[in-house]
Amino acid sequence: MNSTNEHRYLPQVILAGAPKCGTTSVFDHLKDHPEICSSSVKETYYLIDKGYPVFRPDRNVHLQGWQGYEHFFSHCQNAADGLKLEATPDYLYQETPLHSIPEWPTRPKVFFVLRRPEERVYSLYRFAQNNLAILDKDISFSDFLALMGTKDSPFADRYILSNAIQQSCYVDFLLKWREAVGEDNIRVFLFEDFRRDQRGFMKQVADYLGIDPLFYRDYEFEVKNASTNVKLQGMHRLKGRISPYIANTALRRPLSWLYRKVNVTQAAASKVQSERTEVEKLAPRFFEANQRLEAEFGVDLAPWRTRK
């Protein structure tokens, strides 16, 4: 593929990881920037490996090549529209972008937002129980950790849950990305820094991308994709089955409101003592990987060593 037209829709900025690390909020804050033209959906999944759980068989680079990105960026016609941005957090774990991106005529700016590993594993556990309702409420966090990787695990067929610990040892995946896209085109940020100072965090991201950081001086920040508590998992699964049939009808709004009123509450910010203890007991499993992450990428992991 050599023509300019085949390259015109390739993203120039990719937020490539990690899941459950605040990427939805970061994407939304970036897409509001006048020098950014974001993809029509946050997660395009366009560079996902075949066979990975979130692979989209109808739209992917294996099937449609680079030109297929037009589906997500047809509204970004000119350079004046801004840098084309997409954000698919699962890219961190994929081989496809590592082979595809080096063939692009220009390398995109790639960055990652990472969360303290043990907190990310706990967040996945809670997300699976509540937002997704695929993990039984009777399974404690301790049970979840004990069952992980066993053949009899009730989530053995859920790759992302079964591999939550492995995928939270970020450095091995990041080293592959650095080799593929180059040290100057990769940057690592911390979710904890975002949570502590969103304005300062977004200014740092803007500096890295070469867009005006002053846009965020008076910007109004809003947290997106917050975790929720689901009271009845059966009702939540029923909602998932019904939703496609009412998506474009007058029933969608009133039924969604009624569902949230009856079955959803905001997740509590604090953990019970037993959960906090289990999260802290998990931390040593990431010690060596975190040390290598700090050494290889010059990331100050002090926020991960400060306990709540």
Side-chain angles (χ1 to χ4, degrees), residues 44-48 59-61 64-69 72 91:
T44 71
Y45 300 108
Y46 198 66
L47 301 178
I48 292 291
R59 195 169 301 280
N60 60 79
V61 71
Q64 287 129 344
W66 298 345
Q67 184 62 33
Y69 258 123
F72 305 104
Y91 282 168

Side-chain angles (χ1 to χ4, degrees), residues 89-260:
D90 286 281
Y91 282 168
L92 173 59
Y93 311 116
Q94 309 304 304
E95 294 292 329
T96 297
L98 306 182
H99 301 308
S100 178
I101 291 175
E103 298 178 355
W104 295 6
T106 56
R107 301 287 170 86
K109 288 282 191 179
V110 181
F111 72 104
F112 303 84
V113 182
L114 307 180
R115 186 178 197 166
R116 181 183 293 160
E118 61 271 26
E119 292 288 351
R120 178 183 176 274
V121 173
Y122 179 77
S123 181
L124 276 171
Y125 157 76
R126 295 293 292 161
F127 194 76
Q129 278 193 328
N130 292 290
N131 298 57
L132 301 180
I134 59 174
L135 191 64
D136 196 284
K137 287 271 191 178
D138 292 333
I139 297 178
S140 68
F141 186 57
S142 178
D143 295 335
F144 174 70
L145 296 176
L147 288 166
M148 194 177 294
T150 65
K151 290 189 293 185
D152 297 330
S153 164
F155 53 89
D157 59 340
R158 299 280 181 173
Y159 180 89
I160 292 172
L161 289 181
S162 297
N163 290 274
I165 290 179
Q166 177 192 355
Q167 291 193 334
S168 299
C169 294
Y170 310 114
V171 65
D172 293 322
F173 304 100
L174 289 169
L175 288 171
K176 294 180 181 180
W177 271 90
R178 187 172 67 184
E179 183 178 355
V181 305
E183 189 170 2
D184 292 339
N185 297 313
I186 186 173
R187 187 69 60 86
V188 175
F189 297 92
L190 300 185
F191 168 77
E192 288 76 14
D193 290 335
F194 173 76
R195 188 165 54 183
R196 175 180 55 82
D197 179 12
Q198 293 187 54
R199 200 173 309 281
F201 180 97
M202 292 307 301
K203 286 180 178 179
Q204 289 183 33
V205 172
D207 280 334
Y208 167 61
L209 300 181
I211 59 178
D212 186 4
L214 292 179
F215 171 77
Y216 295 105
R217 182 177 56 188
D218 301 313
Y219 182 81
E220 293 187 12
F221 289 92
E222 179 183 353
V223 176
K224 305 292 179 67
N225 203 26
S227 294
T228 56
N229 281 329
V230 172
K231 300 174 185 176
L232 300 174
Q233 290 184 317
M235 182 183 294
H236 190 75
R237 288 189 284 268
L238 178 63
K239 170 185 173 292
R241 290 194 291 269
I242 293 174
S243 291
Y245 299 101
I246 65 169
N248 298 312
T249 71
L251 291 173
R252 183 179 67 85
R253 284 180 179 272
L255 287 181
S256 294
W257 177 87
L258 180 62
Y259 168 79
R260 290 193 299 271

Side-chain angles (χ1 to χ4, degrees), residues 68-86:
Y69 258 123
E70 180 179 359
H71 175 79
F72 305 104
F73 291 107
S74 59
H75 56 290
C76 305
Q77 295 289 336
N78 307 301
D81 293 328
L83 299 175
K84 292 182 286 293
L85 160 74
E86 76 141 309

Side-chain angles (χ1 to χ4, degrees), residues 41-52:
V41 293
K42 175 208 170 195
E43 300 179 15
T44 71
Y45 300 108
Y46 198 66
L47 301 178
I48 292 291
D49 296 346
K50 291 181 179 179
Y52 194 77

